[in-house]
């Protein structure tokens, strides 16, 4: 099969499009013919630590490799495709099932075929969605759901401010927050104001036209998806028991998070949104009912993945960048 191999840090042009051995499913794994994948910010972090804070960089290098990756690998945190073989102990899926899901830090999506355990964050693809539409959902929605539901305990009637609402996580967060019956103020650039309204945001603030931290409104939750601000700059915008959720934590934020949990009052929370099959099932249900819509900036063929990485690493994509995988 053809796959994109990652063996060196540096420019995306170092990625290699090569013939490699087909993966073979174990007893509890499925083999998936991949039709679409994405370049996510997670891929960029594993490829070249693009969005990793400087205080977290040493830990990230320990995980992925100091100087060069610990081993040559295939990236790709999301995939949509058809199951072509199921291991002998697989019960959840069968050959022919059309699925989509997250591979997380294991990667593997940037290839014509991938193996995943049957208990991975994998669900049946809604028939109403194309491969490209389906694959644009899991990464952002998994992280958004983890932050809003598990860390923020979002409830009906909560007032939310979502900063960086136009990206992968942000566009899912706006929709999920509305599903949880919260009131949403989305912060984005002028080009994305209409998109935010179409996803259900109650109020939209164009950050290029003014500083939202100077507004008088207060919130139960402030979700900074892109590291655009800080807990200190936003503290006065939080309700007395309000929570500042941060997708990009430095070591100082981790310390503040522990401290604010200990002393009570306004808190800062963050963490790693590890994949969860339960979250994926919830996300698939919302996608099937049309309550969670994919947002796609543009798509690239697999052989042009370096261009896709370059776009994502500039940090301005709208929703998701999709990669289509052809089969002769
Ligand atoms: N903690 C976790 O478990 C976890 C999981 C996944 C990802 N992450 C991290 O979360 C971050 C966001 O991921 P993502 O995939 O959602 O990113 P993304 O899709 O690349 O988000 C980019 C979006 O943010 C907007 N933006 C850029 N600067 C902004 C600003 N100052 N204010 C408001 N909006 C701004 C951009 O539009 P404009 O430039 O037009 O404004 C663009 O639409 C990444 O750093 C990623 O590493 C964390």
């Amino acid at each position: 099969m053809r796959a994109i191999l990652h063996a060196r840090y540096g420019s995306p042009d170092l990625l290699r499009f090569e013939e490699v051995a087909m993966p073979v499913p174990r007893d509890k794994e499925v083999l998936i013919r991949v039709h679409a994948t994405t370049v996510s910010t997670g891929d960029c972090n594993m490829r070249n630590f693009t969005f990793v804070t400087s205080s977290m960089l040493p830990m990230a290098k320990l995980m992925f490799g100091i100087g060069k990756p610990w081993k040559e690998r295939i990236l790709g945190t999301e995939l949509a495709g058809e199951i072509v073989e199921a291991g002998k102990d697989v019960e959840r899926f069968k050959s022919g099932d059309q699925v989509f899901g997250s591979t997380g830090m294991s990667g593997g999506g940037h290839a014509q075929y991938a193996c995943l355990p049957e208990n991975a964050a994998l669900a049946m693809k809604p028939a109403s969605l194309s491969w490209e539409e389906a694959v644009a959902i899991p990464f952002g929605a998994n992280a958004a759901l983890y932050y809003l539901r598990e860390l923020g305990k979002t409830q009906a009637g909560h007032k939310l401010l979502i900063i960086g609402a136009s990206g992968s996580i942000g566009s899912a967060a706006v929709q999920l927050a509305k599903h949880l019956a919260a009131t949403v103020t989305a912060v984005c650039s002028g080009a994305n104001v209409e998109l935010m309204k179409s996803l259900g945001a109650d109020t939209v603030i164009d950050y290029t036209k003014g500083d939202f931290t100077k507004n008088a409104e207060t919130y139960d939750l402030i979700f900074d998806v892109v590291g655009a601000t800080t807990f200190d700059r936003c503290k006065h915008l939080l309700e007395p028991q309000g929570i500042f959720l941060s997708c990009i934590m430095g070591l100082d934020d981790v310390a503040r998070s522990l401290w604010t949990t200990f002393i009570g009052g306004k808190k800062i929370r963050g963490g790693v949104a590890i994949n969860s099959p339960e979250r994926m099932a919830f996300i698939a249900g919302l996608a099937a009912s049309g309550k969670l819509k994919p947002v796609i900036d543009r798509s690239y063929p697999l052989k042009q993945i370096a261009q896709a990485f370059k776009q994502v690493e500039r940090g301005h994509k709208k929703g998701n960048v999709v990669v289509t995988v052809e089969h002769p």
Side-chain angles (χ1 to χ4, degrees), residues 41 45 51 139 143 147 163-164 166-170 187-189 192 207 225-226 228 247-248 271-273 315-319:
T41 48
N45 291 341
F51 302 103
F139 176 85
Y147 272 82
I163 307 158
S166 52
S168 176
I169 300 172
V187 179
C188 65
S189 62
N192 295 316
Y207 70 83
V225 183
V226 291
C247 250
I248 308 177
V272 180
H316 302 295
K317 73 176 156 69
K318 215 182 268 235

Side-chain angles (χ1 to χ4, degrees), residues 1 15 24 29 42 73 83 98 101 107 147 172 196 223 254-255 265 282 288 291 301 304 315 319:
M1 70 164 185
L15 293 165
V24 179
E29 286 184 344
R73 58 178 305 212
I83 293 182
Q98 299 194 343
Y147 272 82
M196 291 301 102
F223 185 15
V254 176
F282 183 81
K291 289 181 182 148
Q304 283 176 20

Side-chain angles (χ1 to χ4, degrees), residues 41 47-48 68 95 153 170 198 209-210 219 239 280 316:
T41 48
R47 195 196 68 73
N48 206 37
K68 67 182 182 102
S95 195
K153 310 265 185 259
S198 75
K209 291 208 173 130
Y219 304 93
E239 292 288 337
M280 188 60 211
H316 302 295

Side-chain angles (χ1 to χ4, degrees), residues 73-308:
R73 58 178 305 212
I74 299 168
L75 302 174
T77 57
E78 295 169 285
L79 55 74
E82 184 177 342
I83 293 182
V84 289
E85 193 182 330
K88 74 174 178 55
D89 296 332
V90 170
E91 290 170 3
R92 265 182 84 202
F93 299 106
K94 60 181 187 321
S95 195
D97 283 351
Q98 299 194 343
V99 294
F100 73 130
S102 293
T103 62
M105 287 193 230
S106 312
H110 295 167
Q112 287 180 317
Y113 292 87
C115 278
L116 280 181
E118 70 160 336
N119 62 1
L122 206 56
M124 297 296 282
K125 177 181 84 64
S128 54
L129 298 182
S130 66
W131 300 118
E132 290 81 5
E133 288 168 330
V135 86
I137 290 177
F139 176 85
N142 174 67
L145 192 57
Y146 168 72
Y147 272 82
L148 294 183
R149 199 181 60 176
E150 284 147 61
L151 293 186
K153 310 265 185 259
T154 305
Q155 287 167 23
H158 269 168
K159 285 189 292 174
L160 260 74
L161 179 72
I162 302 178
I163 307 158
S166 52
S168 176
I169 300 172
S171 59
V174 171
Q175 299 179 76
L176 289 166
K178 288 312 298 173
H179 175 71
L180 297 169
T183 304
V184 174
T185 299
V187 179
C188 65
S189 62
N192 295 316
V193 169
E194 288 310 313
L195 170 69
M196 291 301 102
K197 288 184 187 162
S198 75
L199 296 180
D202 300 282
T203 309
V204 185
I205 298 174
D206 176 352
Y207 70 83
T208 63
K209 291 208 173 130
D211 183 353
F212 62 85
T213 63
K214 300 220 163 77
N215 293 355
E217 194 66 62
T218 54
Y219 304 93
D220 298 292
L221 292 166
I222 297 178
F223 185 15
D224 182 7
V225 183
V226 291
T229 186
T230 62
F231 179 50
D232 283 339
R233 285 189 63 217
C234 293
K235 227 170 159 181
H236 64 288
L237 301 176
L238 283 171
E239 292 288 337
Q241 294 300 318
I243 304 176
F244 183 84
L245 299 166
S246 175
C247 250
I248 308 177
M249 301 268 276
L251 273 182
D252 51 340
D253 295 319
V254 176
R256 297 287 295 278
S257 166
L258 292 171
W259 176 243
T260 56
T261 301
F262 179 66
I263 60 165
K266 300 176 184 183
K267 295 178 189 62
I268 170 170
R269 290 257 164 87
V272 180
I274 304 288
N275 284 324
S276 133
E278 181 278 320
R279 250 182 259 133
M280 188 60 211
F282 183 81
I283 289 163
L286 288 184
S289 63
K291 289 181 182 148
L292 183 57
K293 296 187 184 73
V295 178
I296 299 175
D297 186 308
R298 63 170 288 186
S299 79
Y300 296 81
L302 187 62
K303 61 175 181 282
Q304 283 176 20
I305 205 158
Q307 299 310 314

